[in-house]
Amino acid sequence: MASVVLRNGLVVHPDGAEIADVLIVDGRIAAVGRDAGVDPPSGCRVIDATGCWVGPGFVDLHTHLREPGDEAAETIASGARAAAVGGFTAVLAMPNTEPALDNVALVTYVLDQGSRAVIDVAVAGAITMSRAGERLAPLAELAALGVRLFTDDGVGVQNAAVMRRALRYARPLGVRLAQHCEDAALAADGSMNEGALSSRLGLVGRPSIAEEVMVARDLVLVRSTGAPLHFLHVSTARSLDLIVRARAEGLPVSCEVAPHHFTLDESACATYDANFKVNPPLRSSEDVEAIRRALRGGDVDAVATDHAPHAPQRKDLPFDEAPAGVLGLEHAASLTYEALGAVGSDPQRFFAVLSRNPATIAQLRRRDARPRHGAHGGAVEVGDDGNLVVFDPSERWVARREGLQSRASNSPYLGRALVGRVRCTVVNGAVVVDEGGLT
Amino acid sequence: MIESIRGRSLMSLHDLSRAALVEILDTAESFVEVHRRTVKKVPALKGRVVASLFFEESTRTRLSFETAAKRLSADVLSLAVASSSVKKGESLRDTIATIDALGIDAVVLRHRSSGAAEQVSRYVPHVRVINAGDGLHQHPTQGLLDAFTIRQVLAQRRGVNAVETGSTVFEGLRVLIVGDVMHSRVARSDIDAYVALGAQVRVAAPGTLLPMDIDAWPVEVVGDFEDAIEWADVIGLLRLQHERGAGSFVPSLSEFTAIYGLTASRARRLRPETLIMHPGPINRGVELDSTVADLPAAIIERQVSNGVPIRMAVLYLTVAASPSEVV
């Protein structure tokens, strides 16, 4: 029997934490307790987690793995390795591949490739065929394969009638739609946040209202259909405000924020470096502050990376010509820890936004009984699948290009000093990352 | 604030001090004289290589930069984008690396993307980069030659030496900029220069062609072009940028012309001494009536010919002069 014990860490449960050992046997948690690892089975791998947080492995709701179609930027295998190093035990592969994940054959392909990857790869399907915003994709057929989240991410569904129809169709299937909120006509060909800085730099702006208009529209649609909706990469204070009010009203909405939106503001674009170009764009410092507050205060359900690899030659273009998107998987946990207050961070909140809430939204919890992958975002209790992460909150390190597992290197954080680092990642009972590196 | 462009790249006028601007204008004045010689050349940049890279169509800027470089005795490498490997998909970085491998001292760059010049200077930090117009961002030598032309004309009228006036002709000078400010790199460079030199600037434009952040600019927005016509000492007209889709920001060209064009009837209300400027190329009959463009008050051709001494000055100061050198 293969076994691992994570010894003497701060084990973070949903409602409390304790210094304890976690014993994993045959892929499942067999014991949690002060002395659970004192007398491990023979051949048991022992990992000293003293001073570290031990919790459920992170779940990323928003990963662009680029396969099929742009394997020069990333593959399912390379993206999964980057995710593992970042402490993720499961990711949701976004459907804006080439071609888009809008049919059974392609979703099956990604799930098959994913089953050979170092972590669990679940799939988000497209809402509409080719993500063109016109005809519904086969949501029911894809749901039968285990797809629980659908999005045309990269773009929002522009036509309100199509979005309304998709919500009505999705509701009885028990799946959730997720929206990339940007009104295409307002965002147009803008390449950074619209404001004084874009005007001075001569870059066409992508206004915050492009996002807020669609958030507001979709809340109206959710109210009328009753179908749940997840808001991807919310980037403005007003968007958050709309979502918070809707939640208070009882609407079935959830939202995520991306690390770059709570750690970087638009001023990063001033050197015209396309590694700071994302959609929605980096916003004002007031927006960044509002998102950090919401993250700490509980108004945000999840941190999601929007990991968006691009081959180097595609990012090395003039700002307005380069594609949008930055890497995210490998630094997300450290950046979240920093935003939650570093030393003052609340470990419950940390695992809520990085693991338990996203696992709930993606329906990857134990109760969801998924056919093709293990359960994630658990309470760290006996019987849970062995999907765990050991996070060392005291480690200080610097993000470097050389250390990246992703095929691409379009990270906006290279050279940045980070606090807290993933020490060890356990996926379905197997140690895939130890001492910060792949095993 | 940059106090002198000596030995530096020139990306923008936004951060240049009044002293830096006056130094360029004065240096250009000393090069005007070269133009009157039979042999129109000075050896200031002999043995230096200036690459001229125009990724966007241009007639006057390109010709005047290349003329300026040649008058300074520099060797000019001119990349015609239409016939280069850029058409075969070569990236900006590779194109610059190729040119740099040939050995260059300066790059004059025109590009449709804002920030392209800044990007190039990151690729070749040892080369002086002169922005000859980048997207909607800046066109610094246009701003300089506009200021130079105003100073030259006003000094002549007063019968004084332009260099001796320093920046005094700009003190309280009333400049009205009209038209497509939002899409105009010329407007940004002009306003930076005029304001730094001490002028009062007003702008008149349809609401959709005003920059989003115009309230933060050091200018006053006038609602009605009519009201400001008699106020202005200088009227700077801007080209309506069809190629950037500016046409869809106004209901029709004829409405734009009716409200913001310098039509013949509006021109009759100008004070005789008011200067009319336009960076070219003119959309005759859109922002500027054809007959008005040919009035003596329109100093548009003078702007063109002043492009050469200004660009000589910029090349000279950025390439030949080291920060410590004195002319």
Side-chain angles (χ1 to χ4, degrees):
Chain A
M1 267 202 320
S3 56
V4 185
V5 63
L6 308 175
R7 185 171 276 165
N8 202 37
L10 181 75
V11 177
V12 183
H13 303 295
D15 45 10
E18 55 172 333
I19 300 287
D21 300 339
V22 179
L23 176 67
I24 305 144
V25 179
D26 257 1
R28 288 229 166 81
I29 295 177
V32 180
R34 200 77 191 87
D35 301 317
V38 168
D39 186 20
S42 66
C44 181
R45 182 160 182 176
V46 178
I47 288 172
D48 181 12
T50 305
C52 296
W53 293 354
V54 176
F58 307 141
V59 174
D60 189 20
L61 289 171
H62 200 143
T63 310
H64 297 282
L65 291 175
R66 300 300 189 213
E67 183 181 349
D70 190 9
E71 290 83 353
E74 196 80 282
T75 61
I76 292 165
S78 68
R81 286 195 295 273
V85 168
F88 292 90
T89 52
V91 300
L92 227 61
M94 287 284 116
N96 65 333
T97 49
E98 191 53 52
L101 305 184
D102 62 7
N103 63 73
V104 168
L106 277 172
V107 169
T108 305
Y109 170 80
V110 174
L111 289 171
D112 285 350
Q113 293 299 112
S115 69
R116 288 190 274 277
V118 292
I119 60 161
D120 281 347
V121 175
V123 167
I127 295 174
T128 65
M129 293 307 293
S130 305
R131 301 168 46 250
E134 292 160 9
R135 249 171 355 105
L136 291 186
L139 307 194
E141 279 183 353
L142 300 183
L145 294 176
V147 178
R148 293 290 179 271
L149 199 81
F150 291 86
T151 177
D152 279 357
D153 180 58
V155 291
V157 177
Q158 299 298 317
N159 182 318
V162 173
M163 190 61 192
R164 180 183 186 214
R165 193 172 300 142
L167 286 163
R168 294 185 64 210
Y169 193 76
R171 189 179 175 192
L173 299 177
V175 300
R176 183 179 290 248
L177 303 191
Q179 187 79 290
H180 171 127
C181 286
E182 276 192 306
D183 180 281
L186 284 170
D189 47 3
S191 57
M192 71 169 285
N193 188 41
E194 181 179 280
L197 185 62
S198 68
S199 177
R200 176 160 77 71
L201 294 173
L203 292 169
V204 178
R206 248 179 135 77
S208 24
I209 57 167
E211 175 175 318
E212 292 151 6
V213 158
M214 193 174 276
V215 170
R217 181 201 77 175
D218 281 3
L219 290 172
V220 170
L221 295 177
V222 168
R223 191 176 291 120
S224 86
T225 58
L229 182 64
H230 178 68
F231 290 97
L232 302 164
H233 44 47
V234 174
S235 73
T236 83
R238 284 178 197 279
S239 294
L240 269 175
D241 192 48
L242 289 166
I243 294 164
V244 167
R245 284 161 193 263
R247 193 190 279 124
E249 186 192 322
L251 298 187
V253 291
S254 55
C255 72
E256 65 178 41
V257 296
H260 46 266
H261 287 133
F262 59 74
T263 54
L264 299 167
D265 66 35
E266 60 183 348
S267 64
C269 302
T271 60
Y272 299 98
D273 181 346
N275 285 324
F276 296 97
K277 180 175 176 181
V278 282
N279 287 342
L282 301 180
R283 300 292 191 188
S284 70
S285 52
E286 292 78 20
D287 287 320
V288 173
E289 195 37 55
I291 290 176
R292 289 174 88 95
R293 260 199 315 276
L295 184 62
R296 286 194 290 264
D299 285 338
V300 160
D301 299 288
V303 168
T305 67
D306 197 5
H307 179 80
H310 289 291
Q313 68 274 14
R314 298 200 59 223
K315 269 296 194 183
D316 195 10
L317 288 173
F319 199 88
D320 56 350
E321 292 177 9
V326 298
L327 299 186
L329 288 167
E330 299 180 55
H331 307 126
S334 305
L335 295 163
T336 303
Y337 177 69
E338 176 193 301
L340 288 175
V343 184
S345 304
D346 170 7
Q348 255 85 42
R349 184 86 194 117
F350 179 78
F351 284 101
V353 293
L354 281 167
S355 177
R356 293 185 175 115
N357 296 346
T360 304
I361 292 164
Q363 299 186 35
L364 285 169
R365 302 289 292 265
R366 190 169 163 184
R367 61 174 188 238
D368 300 315
R370 300 294 291 271
R372 301 192 58 141
H373 17 70
H376 298 265
V380 195
E381 58 191 23
V382 173
D384 277 357
D385 285 350
N387 288 309
L388 295 159
V389 65
V390 178
F391 181 80
D392 181 349
S394 64
E395 184 168 342
R396 292 176 178 273
W397 59 301
V398 175
R400 299 265 182 232
R401 179 182 304 250
E402 304 77 60
L404 295 175
Q405 287 299 324
S406 173
R407 276 202 175 182
S409 57
N410 55 306
S411 165
Y413 298 111
L414 302 180
R416 183 181 174 116
L418 299 169
V419 191
R421 187 174 195 175
V422 170
R423 163 97 57 93
C424 170
T425 310
V426 181
V427 181
N428 295 316
V431 177
V432 300
V433 170
D434 193 16
E435 296 301 329
L438 289 164
T439 55
Chain B
M1 274 286 154
I2 292 165
E3 296 298 331
S4 169
I5 65 163
R6 286 162 181 274
R8 313 177 58 109
S9 291
L10 178 64
M11 302 297 168
S12 160
L13 298 186
H14 190 69
D15 40 10
L16 293 198
S17 70
R18 183 178 295 192
L21 293 167
V22 169
E23 179 184 44
I24 301 166
L25 303 191
D26 290 353
T27 308
E29 205 63 60
S30 72
F31 285 127
V32 169
E33 176 266 331
V34 176
H35 180 64
R36 302 195 198 101
R37 298 185 194 173
T38 325
V39 178
K40 296 181 171 55
K41 251 183 192 239
V42 288
L45 293 188
K46 197 167 172 58
R48 305 299 187 101
V49 182
V50 175
S52 150
L53 304 187
F54 279 66
F55 290 87
E56 197 181 55
E57 293 306 315
S58 155
T59 315
R60 66 205 76 217
T61 306
R62 181 188 181 116
L63 281 178
S64 82
F65 258 116
E66 293 183 4
T67 305
K70 286 172 183 164
R71 287 200 181 154
L72 292 167
S73 305
D75 294 318
V76 178
L77 278 178
S78 173
L79 184 81
V81 170
S83 62
S84 73
S85 44
V86 172
K87 284 270 164 171
K88 299 173 193 161
E90 187 172 64
S91 72
L92 183 57
R93 180 193 279 267
D94 289 339
T95 305
I96 298 300
T98 304
I99 304 273
D100 185 40
L102 300 171
I104 51 172
D105 297 285
V107 172
V108 174
L109 186 88
R110 159 70 62 93
H111 202 285
R112 68 175 179 284
S113 294
S114 300
E118 188 144 332
Q119 209 153 13
V120 164
S121 75
R122 269 205 295 277
Y123 300 153
V124 285
H126 51 285
V127 170
R128 301 286 86 83
V129 179
I130 296 158
N131 182 3
D134 64 326
L136 313 181
H137 176 223
Q138 284 265 333
H139 192 354
T141 56
Q142 181 73 42
L144 291 166
L145 73 89
D146 287 344
F148 181 77
T149 303
I150 291 171
R151 189 177 80 163
Q152 191 184 53
V153 171
L154 297 184
Q156 251 166 30
R157 279 187 188 167
R158 295 173 197 180
V160 292
N161 179 303
V163 174
E164 282 163 17
T165 66
S167 60
T168 55
V169 302
F170 293 100
E171 290 298 341
L173 186 75
R174 294 184 290 193
V175 183
L176 175 66
I177 292 178
V178 188
D180 184 2
V181 180
M182 182 159 82
H183 297 101
S184 177
R185 57 193 175 209
V186 173
R188 285 173 173 76
S189 291
D190 273 349
I191 291 169
D192 285 340
Y194 298 154
V195 170
L197 288 166
Q200 291 181 55
V201 180
R202 292 185 179 176
V203 299
T208 47
L209 293 176
L210 284 170
M212 302 299 304
D213 63 325
I214 190 70
D215 294 342
W217 289 31
V219 301
E220 191 186 320
V221 178
V222 292
D224 192 349
F225 183 18
E226 293 288 341
D227 291 346
I229 281 185
E230 289 165 47
W231 171 85
D233 298 317
V234 176
I235 295 186
L237 297 162
L238 298 169
R239 220 169 78 70
L240 189 70
Q241 308 252 337
H242 293 295
E243 72 278 17
R244 300 188 199 280
S248 59
F249 286 74
V250 291
S252 69
L253 287 186
S254 60
E255 173 156 321
F256 176 79
T257 305
I259 313 292
Y260 294 97
L262 187 54
T263 57
S265 68
R266 247 178 221 128
R268 280 194 283 279
R269 296 185 37 227
L270 289 169
R271 284 183 283 126
E273 67 273 22
T274 298
L275 300 177
I276 301 167
M277 302 179 77
H278 192 295
I282 304 170
N283 297 308
R284 281 184 185 255
V286 180
E287 65 268 355
L288 182 58
D289 184 87
S290 215
T291 60
V292 180
D294 299 329
L295 291 175
I299 51 171
I300 296 162
E301 278 169 32
R302 191 129 169 194
Q303 290 173 270
V304 177
S305 53
N306 279 337
V308 176
I310 273 292
R311 286 163 181 135
M312 288 172 80
V314 166
L315 284 167
Y316 173 75
L317 290 170
T318 56
V319 180
S322 71
S324 58
E325 243 175 276
V326 181
V327 188

